[in-house]
């Protein structure tokens, strides 16, 4: 790999000659600008604003633009004369635990290669010291006309350096977090934990850029004259949809288990929204008041469903009251009939007794 910077690591009084090599590379597909009418290439030319002449790279220098638009010429000699100790040195200033470095500060990554046989021993010493201490080194270095901050750590058997942004280059996240107080239930956290545990870990080497692969396939098909536009996929508009968070989490856990082939993952394709199932009577086939219970969407009850539930509950109470009144009326009627029958029987008994008394004296007289 081609080095982009040569210098040394300053480790106390130890100096380690090194070469700086890019640790990453971009695989993104680049496009050129073309003229739509004829397909001609569009190019940019560097032209001086004063004389309108096109200039070559050798004729272009640096300049600092002030607020009023005037330019102050800055030469490479001017920059080289500045007293910067890190111009050709990666100066280690401290060793700290890796978790003290905020990932927001991470910038470009480089490999540090030992430059020459004499650098092998001190290079290996620093590498092994970093391994044993389980710390990273914070360093300053200068590259491309400015002083930078870096973090040195061990990757396999190589010392790697991550460029870091300066602390004052990290913006404060004002107005980014959700406004107002948002509460999360323990049950929701438990489901989130279950989802994280189910998803588990992933082999980083297995992750690929599917969009780039699709673009490459399209370019290959167009170059061969066999490109056919794919059918447009329906994409739901983002935002504006109220979801049942618990149902969505439960569905996600089932889907994750199904993808991993775990048992008990049936129902992964069920609808995530919570629905109220009507409870039916065994014989009558009518919905009970429980069936009219209001549906819950996003933690809020539907107004229409609530009104229907109240109306159903009121109707049930009225029906029960009518049945109770009818039962009482039936009981009173039965009691009245019984009392009437008892009175009639008593009258018949009294009349029979009177007739018997009248008949008795007549019998004694005739004797």
């Amino acid at each position: 790999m081609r080095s982009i910077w040569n210098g040394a690591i300053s480790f106390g009084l130890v100096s380690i000659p090194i070469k700086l090599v890019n640790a990453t590379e971009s695989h993104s597909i680049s496009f050129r600008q073309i003229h739509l009418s004829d397909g001609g290439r569009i190019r940019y030319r560097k032209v001086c604003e004063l004389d309108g002449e096109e200039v070559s790279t050798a004729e272009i220098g640096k300049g600092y633009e002030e607020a009023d638009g005037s330019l102050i010429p800055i030469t490479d000699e001017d920059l080289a004369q500045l007293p910067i100790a890190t111009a050709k040195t990666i100066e280690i200033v401290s060793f700290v635990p890796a978790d003290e470095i905020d990932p927001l500060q991470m910038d470009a990554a480089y490999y540090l290669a030992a430059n020459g046989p004499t650098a092998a021993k001190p290079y290996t010493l620093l590498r092994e010291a970093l391994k044993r201490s389980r710390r990273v080194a914070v360093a300053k270095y200068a590259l491309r006309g400015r002083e930078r901050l870096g973090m040195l750590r061990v990757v396999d058997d190589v010392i790697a350096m991550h460029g870091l942004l300066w602390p004052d280059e990290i913006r404060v996240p004002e107005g980014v977090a959700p406004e107002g107080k948002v509460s999360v239930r323990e049950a929701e956290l438990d489901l989130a934990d279950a989802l994280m545990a189910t998803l588990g870990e992933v082999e980083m080497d297995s992750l690929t850029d599917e969009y780039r692969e699709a673009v490459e396939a399209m370019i290959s098909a167009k170059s061969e004259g066999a490109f056919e536009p794919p059918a447009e996929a329906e994409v739901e508009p983002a935002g504006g949809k109220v979801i049942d968070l618990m149902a969505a989490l439960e569905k996600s856990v089932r889907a994750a288990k199904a993808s991993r082939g775990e048992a008990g993952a049936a129902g992964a394709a069920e609808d995530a929204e919570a629905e109220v199932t009507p409870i039916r009577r065994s014989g009558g086939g009518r919905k009970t008041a429980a069936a009219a219970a209001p549906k819950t969407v996003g933690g809020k009850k539907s107004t229409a469903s609530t009104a229907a539930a109240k109306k159903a509950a009121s109707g049930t109470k009225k029906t029960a009251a009518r049945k109770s009144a009818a039962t009482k009326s039936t009981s009173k009627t039965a009691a009245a009939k019984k009392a009437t029958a008892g009175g009639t029987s008593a009258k018949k008994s009294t009349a029979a007794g009177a007739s018997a008394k009248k008949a008795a004296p007549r019998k004694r007289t005739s004797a």
Side-chain angles (χ1 to χ4, degrees), residues 168-240:
D168 60 359
E169 292 179 314
I170 304 298
R171 300 175 63 184
V172 178
E174 295 179 352
V176 179
E179 296 182 358
K181 186 177 181 181
V182 180
S183 60
V184 178
R185 293 178 294 171
E186 288 294 329
E188 294 169 338
L189 283 174
D190 291 341
L191 277 173
D193 290 341
L195 178 58
M196 289 190 291
T198 304
L199 291 175
E201 299 179 357
V202 66
E203 291 288 340
M204 296 300 292
D205 293 339
S206 67
L207 301 178
T208 59
D209 187 347
E210 296 179 3
Y211 179 76
R212 189 193 76 210
E213 293 173 355
V215 173
E216 290 175 345
M218 178 192 66
I219 293 173
S220 177
K222 280 201 167 192
S223 66
E224 297 173 1
F227 175 70
E228 294 183 3
E232 293 185 3
E234 294 184 2
V235 180
E236 295 184 3

Side-chain angles (χ1 to χ4, degrees), residues 150-166:
M151 178 191 76
L152 277 63
R153 68 184 184 98
V154 178
V155 177
D156 296 332
D157 289 330
V158 176
I159 299 175
M161 182 174 71
H162 295 269
L164 299 179
L165 299 175
W166 295 97

Side-chain angles (χ1 to χ4, degrees), residues 4-22:
I4 61 172
W5 183 89
N6 292 339
I9 299 175
S10 175
F11 178 31
L13 296 178
V14 177
S15 181
I16 310 171
I18 56 97
K19 296 184 293 183
L20 195 67
V21 178
N22 281 321

Side-chain angles (χ1 to χ4, degrees), residues 256-332:
K257 287 182 177 180
S259 66
R260 296 167 69 90
E262 296 183 14
E270 294 179 0
D271 188 9
E273 295 184 359
E275 295 184 358
V276 177
T277 305
I279 302 175
R280 301 181 179 276
R281 295 180 182 176
S282 57
R286 292 182 179 180
K287 293 182 181 179
T288 64
K295 295 183 180 180
T296 301
V297 182
K300 294 184 179 180
K301 293 182 179 179
S302 169
T303 305
S305 299
T306 305
K310 289 182 178 178
K311 186 176 180 181
S314 177
T316 303
K317 290 181 179 179
K318 288 180 180 179
T319 302
R322 289 196 193 99
K323 287 182 178 180
S324 178
T327 303
K328 289 180 180 180
S329 177
T330 304
S331 300
K332 287 181 180 180

Side-chain angles (χ1 to χ4, degrees), residues 105-125:
Q105 289 184 255
M106 296 290 186
D107 202 359
Y110 308 95
Y111 289 137
L112 304 182
N115 193 4
T118 58
K121 181 66 178 287
Y123 182 96
T124 304
L125 172 64

Side-chain angles (χ1 to χ4, degrees), residues 23-44:
T24 62
E25 58 185 0
S26 175
H27 289 166
S28 61
I29 299 174
S30 299
F31 297 102
R32 303 295 186 186
Q33 291 185 331
I34 61 173
H35 191 194
L36 292 176
S37 62
D38 56 16
R41 173 81 181 275
I42 303 297
R43 297 179 182 273
Y44 290 100

